[in-house]
Amino acid sequence: LLYERHGEPAAVVQLKDLEVPKLGDCDVHVKMLAAPINPADINMIQGTYPLLSALPAVGGNEGVGEVLEVGRRVRALAPGDWVIPADAGLGTWRTRGVFPEEMLLKVPRDIPVLCAATLSVNPCTAFRVLADFERLAPGDSVIQNAANSGVGQAVIQIARASGIRTINVVRDRPDLPKLVERLMALGADHVVTEEMLRKPEMKDIFKSIPRPRLALNCVGGKSTTEMLRHLQPKGTMVTYGGMAKQPVMVPVSAFIFRDVRLRGFWMTQWRKDHAQDQESVASMMDALCQLIRRGQLRAPACTEVPLQDYRAALEASMKPFVSSKQILLL
């Protein structure tokens, strides 16, 4: 799926037949199996993301493929292995591709294909924001907005597996009870709407669990300000997205009297910073694959779409209140 200019995805993305490039000594020929449509993919096509591929570009930053053939200098991969992108910008919305070996990470074949296809962005982001900003122990709590997003669902499950409680904020919507039920089934401790954050009943939640030391923000605007109220003194709020396209507003009193910390996180930057530190990448992937094998981390709710129906999938991925991720089957 190629785009030659930036613009609205359904208008600029086209399905094209291209020749598969020749296999170089350090290259890997991959047959793609499945690739999701993430918000960052849409923003890259629109030209509004901080990281843009050179045009013409193939869409997609995430997915899983099977190795068909390797160049003669390739050591770490063999035909039959499953691989995912080691970094953003790979262009995963294609049936086949030839990539340099260092652009790929091997993943075990014994995990479900949808888990592998959605592994490199959201679960990694969830893993890092839970691990890198506060030292959380079993019994501690975390509050997050956009709890039904891909990262939100992964946070719930990874936290649950570590004995950490989650307070999950979602926007009010027509099918709210159904969404609450789904998040509780994943292991959420509490699910509240943005409106509830302002209500005195929130105090009842903190009778049974401690106030959170960590807040995870993917929205911005009013949602963030309200969430911050419930953070413990000296707690940290990490912003990793801005779905409301509004700034983060923080009362001065939160800084002075509660000494809260505001941090940011971008998975792409983390990968750049750890490019030479393969051990931390491997231990994160290993931990996530173990959770998947034990049934403690599932793929987000997915809608599987054949590649030729890509336009409908792109449009569906941009609708509000969508809790299901569009996955292109390649």
Side-chain angles (χ1 to χ4, degrees):
L1 290 178
L2 205 68
Y3 57 101
E4 291 170 346
R5 61 190 170 88
H6 294 125
E8 279 317 294
V12 298
V13 173
Q14 296 174 313
L15 187 54
K16 290 213 165 158
D17 282 327
L18 302 173
E19 287 279 307
V20 176
K22 231 168 80 95
L23 190 74
D25 286 353
C26 302
D27 290 341
V28 180
H29 182 186
V30 177
K31 173 184 185 285
M32 292 303 296
L33 302 172
I37 299 177
N38 288 319
D41 304 329
I42 299 291
N43 296 149
M44 281 174 84
I45 296 164
Q46 291 166 332
T48 59
Y49 202 64
L51 179 85
L52 298 177
S53 301
L55 298 175
V58 177
N61 289 292
E62 191 179 32
V64 63
E66 182 178 337
V67 174
L68 294 178
E69 177 181 14
V70 300
R72 60 194 180 89
R73 288 215 185 132
V74 172
R75 294 284 167 266
L77 296 170
D81 285 347
W82 275 13
V83 288
I84 63 173
D87 214 336
L90 191 68
T92 54
W93 301 349
R94 62 173 100 210
T95 52
R96 303 224 169 161
V98 170
F99 307 107
E101 179 184 17
E102 70 269 13
M103 292 178 75
L104 302 167
L105 281 179
K106 183 175 166 178
V107 291
R109 292 186 56 134
D110 64 347
I111 61 174
V113 72
L114 292 183
C115 286
T118 54
L119 182 61
S120 64
V121 178
N122 294 335
C124 290
T125 298
F127 187 90
R128 298 265 54 107
V129 293
L130 285 169
D132 293 354
F133 296 92
E134 285 283 344
R135 295 188 70 147
L136 298 171
D140 283 344
S141 80
V142 172
I143 189 167
Q144 64 165 347
N145 55 21
N148 57 313
S149 67
V151 173
Q153 293 176 52
V155 163
I156 290 170
Q157 297 172 83
I158 296 167
R160 183 59 176 252
S162 317
I164 293 157
R165 315 282 192 78
T166 56
I167 301 156
N168 301 281
V169 185
V170 296
R171 286 182 297 173
D172 203 0
R173 63 193 65 214
D175 60 346
L176 184 66
K178 211 159 56 204
L179 175 62
V180 172
E181 195 179 313
R182 224 183 67 225
L183 296 182
M184 296 297 268
L186 286 180
D189 292 280
H190 296 277
V191 181
V192 298
T193 62
E194 294 191 341
E195 291 69 33
M196 252 194 80
L197 279 178
R198 289 175 212 124
K199 300 210 167 126
E201 292 90 289
M202 277 299 288
K203 286 199 184 75
D204 296 341
I205 287 179
F206 301 119
K207 286 176 184 164
S208 60
I209 66 175
R211 280 186 180 272
R213 301 218 328 254
L214 182 65
L216 305 175
N217 167 45
C218 174
V219 179
K222 209 182 285 178
S223 163
T224 312
T225 315
E226 297 298 342
M227 200 164 63
L228 207 58
R229 282 183 190 192
H230 303 294
L231 202 58
Q232 268 189 39
K234 293 194 187 314
T236 305
M237 184 172 78
V238 181
T239 294
Y240 67 91
M243 283 158 55
K245 296 187 168 59
Q246 289 166 352
V248 169
M249 308 287 273
V250 181
V252 170
S253 61
F255 281 126
I256 298 173
F257 303 118
R258 292 179 31 242
D259 190 16
V260 298
R261 272 177 295 221
L262 266 61
R263 300 285 306 273
F265 181 80
W266 188 27
M267 194 63 221
T268 303
Q269 188 62 49
W270 187 92
R271 288 192 193 285
K272 273 200 190 79
D273 295 346
H274 293 78
Q276 303 310 313
D277 175 12
Q278 282 312 302
E279 208 173 298
S280 55
V281 177
S283 72
M284 168 174 70
M285 297 318 263
D286 190 46
L288 290 169
C289 290
Q290 292 286 9
L291 288 172
I292 292 167
R293 283 195 195 98
R294 292 201 294 261
Q296 291 176 309
L297 179 60
R298 282 182 264 162
C302 291
T303 305
E304 298 173 47
V305 184
L307 182 61
Q308 52 272 27
D309 297 342
Y310 72 93
R311 268 209 180 90
L314 285 168
E315 280 164 6
S317 73
M318 295 170 72
K319 289 198 178 109
F321 299 125
V322 173
S323 291
S324 186
K325 196 177 275 294
Q326 304 289 310
I327 304 268
L328 298 167
L329 298 181
L330 307 163

